């Protein structure tokens, strides 16, 4: 039996920003781990905060989770009170074996997806996640590769693009919904950021070793910030670091 991919979505409590209905619909075929985090000030212990605010925070988290449950997603809720949001979210992503992490930005529709591919690193995980995400949907996928010095277009097509295409069509995605785009540049990050503005969503592989870097720095965050497009970062679990120390 096929186990669906999973995605971590974190929200700040007690007043989370609403998540777009287009996202709820898009991830309804996945296991969705919703982490509601309540940041605790230094002078307050997580236990004290939980005792005081658990009911209010739990209600807010359930309100976020309900649309996903109604859409058919397999939803896991995690409510945390913490003084270190970064490490707590990182720890939970490991505990829950999340395949991807969502970086939120406004989204009215999610019909055109950009998938940047850099070499063969993480390509199996990326395309498996994209296939699970878009199965039985009329969503267009563009696979992007930035050709750097020393690479040839023929080699990129044969070693990166075609294997990626085969991986995703083998899992039921219509080949007619796929296209590829090759751009020569010495600055892949800037190219990806510029291209991202033309799409509704970016799905790319993890290039940094920790979930902290995924969520709060580097290329994925630059894409989300500069293009104002939501990003899903597919993790490379083979390089997983030990879980961070619990803070809640």
């Amino acid at each position: 039996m096929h186990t669906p991919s999973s995605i971590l979505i974190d929200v700040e409590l007690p007043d989370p920003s609403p998540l777009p209905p287009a996202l709820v619909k898009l991830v309804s075929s996945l296991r969705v781990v919703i982490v509601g985090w309540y940041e605790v000030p230094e002078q307050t212990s997580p236990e004290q905060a939980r005792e005081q605010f658990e009911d209010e925070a739990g209600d807010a988290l359930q309100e976020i989770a309900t649309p996903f449950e109604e859409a058919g997603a397999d939803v896991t809720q995690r409510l945390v009170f913490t003084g270190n949001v970064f490490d707590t979210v990182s720890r939970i992503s490991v505990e829950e074996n999340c395949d991807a992490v969502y970086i939120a930005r406004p989204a009215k529709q999610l019909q055109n997806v950009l998938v940047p591919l850099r070499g063969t690193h993480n390509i199996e995980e990326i395309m498996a996640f994209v296939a699970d995400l878009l199965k039985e949907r009329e969503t267009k996928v563009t696979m992007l590769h930035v050709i750097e010095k020393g690479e040839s277009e023929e080699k990129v097509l044969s070693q990166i693009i075609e294997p990626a295409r085969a991986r995703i069509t083998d899992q039921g995605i219509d080949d007619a919904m796929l296209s590829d785009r090759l751009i020569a540049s010495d600055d892949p990050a800037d190219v990806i950021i510029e291209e991202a503005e033309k799409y509704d969503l970016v799905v790319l592989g993890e290039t940094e070793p920790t979930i902290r870097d995924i969520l709060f720095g580097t290329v994925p965050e630059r894409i989300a910030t500069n293009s104002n497009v939501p990003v899903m970062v597919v993790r490379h679990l083979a390089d997983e670091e030990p879980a961070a120390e619990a803070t809640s």
Side-chain angles (χ1 to χ4, degrees), residues 42-78:
E42 289 185 6
Q43 63 271 26
T44 303
S45 72
E47 292 75 17
Q48 289 175 318
R50 179 177 289 277
E51 183 176 346
Q52 185 173 358
F53 299 112
E54 184 171 21
D55 289 344
E56 177 190 9
D59 290 344
L61 181 58
Q62 181 60 55
E63 190 171 334
I64 289 292
T66 295
F68 292 92
E69 294 169 344
E70 292 177 344
D74 175 7
V75 178
T76 299
Q77 297 182 41
R78 296 289 301 266

Side-chain angles (χ1 to χ4, degrees), residues 178-195:
L178 306 178
S179 61
D180 55 74
R181 182 160 169 74
L182 305 181
I183 299 174
S185 174
D186 294 329
D187 194 338
D190 281 352
V191 170
I192 294 170
I193 291 168
E194 183 176 344
E195 289 293 306

